[in-house]
Amino acid sequence: MKPLGEVTEKGATASSALLLAGFGLLCVLLLLLQADGLVWRDPGGERWLAGALEILAWLTLFGWLRHRRASAQCKPTGVLDVAMTPVESRITHTAGAARAALADVSVRVIYASQTGFAEQLARRTLQSLQAAGIPARVDGIDSVTADDLRHAGRVLIVASTTGDGEPPDMALKFSRLAMQQPAELAGLRYALLALGDSDYDDFCGFGRQLQRWLQASGAQALFDPVEVDSEDEASLRHWQHHLATLSGVSDLPDWQAPKYQRWRLTERRLLNGGSIGEPCFHLALQPLQGSASWQAGDLVEIGPCHPAQRVADWLSARGMDGCVPVLFERQRLPLAELLARCRLPEAGEVDGLDEQAAAALLRRLPHREYSIASLPEDAAVHLLVRQMRGRGGYLGLGSGWLTEHAPIGAEIALRVRSNTNFHAPRDGRPLILIGNGTGLAALRALLKARIAAGHRRNWLLFGERQAARDFLYREDIENWMVHGGIERADFAWSRDQAERIHVQQRLREAADELRAWVDAGAAVYVCGSLDGLAPGVDAVLHDLLGARQVDQLREQGRYRRDVY
């Protein structure tokens, strides 16, 4: 599939050529009509008729070409070059080629590709958005200007790097014309998937150039950039996780399922009994085979399951036997076991099919990501999971499986994933840890690692609803405060007073202390909600430190976020 800009440009060129040919043919015919000289002579009825027919033919050709061009602008711009499931094949693509047609386009996906991989990922991104019912279109960066971005609203960019930090060939024009100075993009919200190879010194060089330019232009990030090292599958799944969050559709299929290991759920403990918020649980899981290694800041990918009763009800309603073995992905297993890990087809999708035919239509449930709240020395992966509920009041797929449906001792499909962007600093520099809700999980692991290494200049800012009910991991935190593992702690309990107080307010109140810590070389780590905490903290940092110093902190790796 060629870039949209190239297809549109060639189509316009072909139309112009045909029009010119029509004009030329008309001129020749008119000259032939007057071949006997320039003195007016009545050509006669036959020649008048022939001329009229030629003009009519030209007008017909002109009208057909205009109709064809107008129709082409209404056709889908993104034809996927990847295999689709039966459900995905029914996705309707919506887009327009002209700016006037962009009014109904909610998201634009733009790719800067050298070998075609970035374009492929851009089209898969388009597919995921449209599967969620979000109007979207895809364009190559060679057909995009800064003015286009100014009017775009929301943009997802997939950018590769070529050579040693250079833009792909198709991005050279954009880099030269648009990126030499900041643009006015204050209304733009964007996300960036940067592709690179860590064997090169300037890893994800062009993607990082784009990021700096977008920030300098006033654009606001939908979520932090995702960097992919040599087609790393885990990073691509992380991008898909963000797409699911962005779209609000939790069951978007994984492009490629994680290679899970077998773990066992060994502990589940409610941490906020009586809270006005949703229940929040501490979980512990241990590997069933061998051992596992990770660092503070890393994540796990969980393969969720439907509760057994839901699967049984589905089978009963369709008169199928869950014990019948079926073949799925080169593996034979009972249909009920397979259904537990797959999207359950809606009514009517499997009518008249037997067990094997129904299995052929299944697709696996998408993974869920959670921050690890422990270290390998704890001999278990600890998770901090809040129950999430959909509009109908039903439990979320991942949180429901881990906090209610999976019995203690159940086998859990789990994969540890490195999250290098959120690893603790290697040295003993001061560390400011800011989080809310279940974002405390990653901060707990970072504090464990720092204290174990003897680094005690740690400042924790944490927010939740009520101190009496929602002080998650209270015993750990108070113990660290008493024994000097945490030098300073500030808490924001939003419902303990009439005025709603949040973490960013506590940070603003400590402005002088913040500047002193940053001047002493402190790094700032933020983990928590993307909608409230992340932009609120970012705004306070910009107000208190200034945009230039915040940009310097980012460039130096001293301002890091893991938000969701």
Side-chain angles (χ1 to χ4, degrees):
M1 171 56 64
K2 296 179 180 178
L4 174 63
E6 181 181 343
V7 174
T8 305
E9 181 180 352
K10 288 187 176 181
T13 302
S15 298
S16 300
L18 286 172
L19 288 174
L20 288 174
F23 276 120
L25 178 60
L26 180 61
C27 291
V28 171
L29 290 172
L30 291 174
L31 286 174
L32 289 175
L33 289 174
Q34 303 297 332
D36 293 337
L38 297 177
V39 179
W40 166 256
R41 296 178 183 178
D42 186 352
E46 292 183 359
R47 288 193 174 185
W48 277 115
L49 179 60
L53 290 175
E54 294 295 342
I55 292 174
L56 180 61
W58 178 81
L59 291 174
T60 301
L61 174 65
F62 179 75
W64 175 76
L65 288 172
R66 284 181 61 85
H67 173 73
R68 182 183 178 187
R69 188 172 180 181
S71 298
Q73 291 179 344
C74 297
K75 290 180 180 179
T77 62
V79 179
L80 297 175
D81 55 357
V82 294
M84 296 186 289
T85 67
V87 174
E88 293 162 339
S89 66
R90 297 196 293 270
I91 295 170
T92 301
H93 291 207
T94 56
R99 177 173 295 169
L102 292 178
D104 295 328
V105 174
S106 178
V107 179
R108 291 187 71 178
V109 182
I110 297 171
Y111 62 86
S113 187
Q114 185 70 23
T115 64
F117 184 56
E119 180 181 357
Q120 180 185 15
L121 295 180
R123 297 192 182 282
R124 287 190 170 190
T125 297
L126 176 76
Q127 177 186 1
S128 294
L129 293 173
Q130 293 180 332
I134 296 179
R137 60 174 279 173
V138 63
D139 295 288
I141 199 170
D142 53 353
S143 65
V144 175
T145 66
D147 195 48
D148 292 330
L149 297 182
R150 189 174 297 114
H151 295 86
R154 290 190 296 175
V155 168
L156 306 182
I157 304 174
V158 184
S160 65
T161 294
T162 187
D164 191 10
E166 299 299 319
D169 292 344
M170 69 179 303
L172 289 173
K173 178 181 177 182
F174 185 86
S175 177
R176 184 179 69 254
L177 297 180
M179 295 176 59
Q180 296 307 305
Q181 59 185 9
E184 294 294 332
L185 302 178
L188 178 67
R189 302 190 71 193
Y190 74 93
L192 176 66
L193 178 65
L195 311 181
D197 188 336
S198 58
D199 288 339
Y200 291 88
D201 292 336
D202 199 354
F203 173 62
C204 290
F206 179 61
R208 292 176 177 179
Q209 292 170 31
L210 268 174
Q211 168 74 358
R212 290 192 291 269
W213 176 75
L214 289 164
Q215 287 180 337
S217 299
Q220 299 297 312
L222 291 163
F223 46 83
D224 287 349
V226 176
E227 296 183 344
V228 180
D229 185 4
S230 299
E231 305 183 18
D232 174 50
E233 295 174 1
S235 298
L236 294 178
R237 283 194 297 274
H238 190 52
W239 174 257
Q240 294 169 249
H241 168 77
H242 282 307
L243 292 180
T245 302
L246 175 67
S247 67
V249 176
S250 62
D251 64 347
L252 290 176
D254 286 327
W255 298 344
Q256 186 166 1
K259 297 179 181 178
Y260 298 117
Q261 289 81 45
R262 298 170 60 218
W263 289 63
R264 188 178 301 282
L265 179 63
T266 59
E267 180 186 2
R268 179 164 56 215
R269 176 164 43 94
L270 178 64
L271 297 184
N272 64 339
S275 172
I276 60 177
E278 296 292 344
C280 192
F281 291 85
H282 165 83
L283 307 171
L285 302 101
Q286 295 178 328
L288 285 173
Q289 297 174 321
S291 59
S293 179
W294 65 90
Q295 294 186 49
D298 286 345
L299 309 166
V300 295
E301 298 173 341
I302 296 287
C305 289
H306 296 297
Q309 188 58 51
R310 185 178 180 189
V311 173
D313 292 344
W314 188 93
L315 288 166
S316 177
R318 286 150 187 83
M320 292 188 184
D321 185 352
C323 297
V324 171
V326 294
L327 184 64
F328 185 81
E329 294 179 353
R330 302 179 183 179
Q331 184 180 9
R332 189 168 291 279
L333 68 168
L335 177 60
E337 183 179 335
L338 175 62
L339 286 168
R341 299 186 179 277
C342 290
R343 172 191 170 273
L344 297 177
E346 300 294 338
E349 289 186 46
V350 295
D351 287 352
L353 301 182
D354 62 15
E355 285 80 0
Q356 181 58 62
L361 297 179
L362 299 179
R363 68 183 188 192
R364 290 195 179 275
L365 292 171
H367 76 283
R368 292 293 184 265
E369 293 185 354
Y370 301 98
S371 295
I372 299 177
S374 59
L375 301 179
E377 291 75 15
D378 295 311
V381 158
H382 293 170
L383 303 180
L384 181 58
V385 179
R386 188 188 304 276
Q387 287 187 346
M388 305 298 293
R389 293 187 180 273
R391 294 178 182 176
Y394 56 84
L395 279 174
L397 190 60
S399 65
W401 169 237
L402 290 173
T403 66
E404 183 165 316
H405 302 313
I408 297 298
E411 183 175 318
I412 305 293
L414 181 150
R415 177 185 182 273
V416 173
R417 182 172 73 77
S418 176
N419 185 23
T420 56
N421 181 63
F422 215 62
H423 286 171
R426 295 181 179 180
D427 55 25
R429 73 183 63 182
L431 185 61
I432 304 173
L433 299 154
I434 307 172
N436 67 347
T438 56
L440 184 61
L443 304 187
R444 179 183 187 245
L446 289 169
L447 282 167
K448 280 175 168 280
R450 292 270 296 178
I451 294 169
H455 304 317
R456 295 175 173 266
R457 287 220 67 190
N458 303 307
W459 177 4
L460 174 66
L461 296 101
F462 174 68
E464 248 292 350
R465 291 176 175 84
Q466 297 173 298
R469 303 291 185 183
D470 303 295
F471 197 156
L472 309 175
Y473 292 126
R474 180 173 193 157
E475 184 177 343
D476 289 340
I477 292 171
E478 290 182 341
N479 181 61
W480 289 329
M481 291 170 61
V482 168
H483 294 91
I486 296 177
E487 182 174 312
R488 173 171 179 154
D490 292 274
F491 302 99
W493 309 110
S494 63
R495 306 298 178 89
D496 275 352
Q497 61 286 311
E499 178 191 1
R500 297 289 174 86
I501 297 176
H502 300 288
V503 174
Q504 52 266 37
Q505 292 175 251
R506 294 293 186 231
L507 185 63
R508 188 181 294 278
E509 293 166 0
D512 292 339
E513 192 79 1
L514 171 67
R515 295 188 186 98
W517 277 59
V518 171
D519 290 344
V524 181
Y525 280 47
V526 181
C527 190
S529 60
L530 177 64
D531 290 335
L533 175 76
V537 169
D538 193 68
V540 171
L541 292 176
H542 276 79
D543 289 346
L544 300 182
L545 303 177
R548 183 175 180 180
Q549 188 167 16
V550 172
D551 289 343
Q552 289 176 345
L553 291 176
R554 289 185 185 274
E555 293 172 5
Q556 296 166 4
R558 293 170 56 198
Y559 178 22
R560 304 190 177 205
R561 309 192 308 174
D562 185 9
V563 294
Y564 47 87

